[in-house]
Amino acid sequence: MLRALLLAPPGAGKGTQGERLADIYEVPHLSTGELLRAEIADRSPLGLEVEQYLDSGELVPDELLAPLLLQRAEGPEPLSGFVLDGFPRTPAQAHLAHEWGVETGLTFNAVISLEVPAEELIERLVRRGGETSRSDDTIETIRLRQQIYAESTEPLLEYYRERGILIAVDGTGTVDQVTDRITSRLDELDLN
Ligand code: ADP
């Protein structure tokens, strides 16, 4: 059963690949960004509180995000496998994820990093900002999200590499090519 984390900078394709991997490995796809955007679209109390963070590109405080994630993870259909996208993205969240994982027997068995050159990331995000309604795909917000990624999230790659579960793949080329690269690496693993 796949219990994967997608760890990559904004614009690298976490959402797209996450959905495909969830289909292929028959596990749910959980995206913190999507969960948060759904709360905002619903105008729920939590949505109203987190909106300012998403719009500015800042991280949502853990005390707002954690209950939302737990609710999804422990909800009517408890998880056994998953493709998680967007959490953890700080060392403190990685610590929390590890504690939950040990408690529930759901520690990650693969952490997938998508490698895409910085210029291409900006291009993809600016294009997405023009095509979709994501309010955080503006140049200033993109810069802040990239900076937060570099400072807070990227260091997690080393943490998972040391634990022997990091799979780093080239995230350029077609969507199919990237999916194939990931699945061929995952299929080498013993996903217990
Ligand atoms: P991207 O990775 O392209 O920036 P996401 O959809 O993953 O986009 O996240 C969008 C926004 O949602 C982030 O900028 C942040 O405000 C919020 N968010 C998502 N995941 C987390 C998290 N784990 N911790 C704090 N904030 C988060």
Side-chain angles (χ1 to χ4, degrees):
M1 185 71 84
L2 183 64
R3 297 185 305 275
L5 166 66
L6 275 161
L7 194 59
K14 293 189 295 287
T16 308
Q17 296 300 332
E19 272 171 32
R20 292 177 147 231
L21 294 172
D23 268 358
I24 296 170
Y25 293 90
E26 300 181 324
V27 291
H29 174 220
L30 286 182
S31 154
T32 52
E34 273 173 28
L35 288 173
L36 291 165
R37 283 189 289 276
E39 294 290 324
I40 295 172
D42 285 350
R43 312 309 294 159
S44 73
L46 177 67
L48 296 176
E49 248 184 299
V50 299
E51 188 167 26
Q52 51 172 322
Y53 296 100
L54 274 89
D55 279 349
S56 66
E58 307 263 3
L59 294 181
V60 170
D62 290 353
E63 57 277 20
L64 296 179
L65 181 70
L68 179 69
L69 260 183
L70 273 183
Q71 189 190 327
R72 176 62 186 83
E74 293 172 351
E77 292 166 59
L79 295 176
S80 45
F82 52 82
V83 173
L84 189 57
D85 148 8
F87 179 91
R89 62 208 291 164
T90 65
Q93 290 182 356
H95 185 73
L96 207 59
H98 186 65
E99 279 185 350
W100 287 347
V102 170
E103 247 171 62
T104 55
L106 297 176
T107 49
F108 301 138
N109 52 17
V111 176
I112 302 155
S113 125
L114 303 173
E115 299 179 332
V116 178
E119 320 79 72
E120 184 167 340
L121 289 174
I122 301 252
E123 244 172 68
R124 290 186 188 183
L125 288 164
V126 170
R127 201 178 329 129
R128 185 170 79 186
E131 285 166 0
T132 67
S133 55
R134 264 191 67 169
S135 55
D136 58 348
D137 286 340
T138 62
I139 197 75
E140 303 80 45
T141 312
I142 290 167
R143 289 230 169 82
L144 179 63
R145 281 153 62 209
Q146 285 188 318
Q147 190 188 331
I148 294 174
Y149 177 82
E151 280 168 15
S152 305
T153 312
E154 211 166 25
L156 301 184
L157 291 174
E158 195 47 43
Y159 168 71
Y160 291 116
R161 183 177 293 121
E162 280 167 14
R163 289 182 45 201
I165 54 173
L166 185 73
I167 291 175
V169 303
D170 176 1
T172 63
T174 65
V175 171
D176 281 343
Q177 281 172 329
V178 178
T179 308
D180 286 348
R181 285 182 202 128
I182 300 171
T183 55
S184 64
R185 296 285 301 279
L186 286 175
D187 293 342
E188 288 167 11
L189 299 180
D190 175 22
L191 297 173
N192 55 29

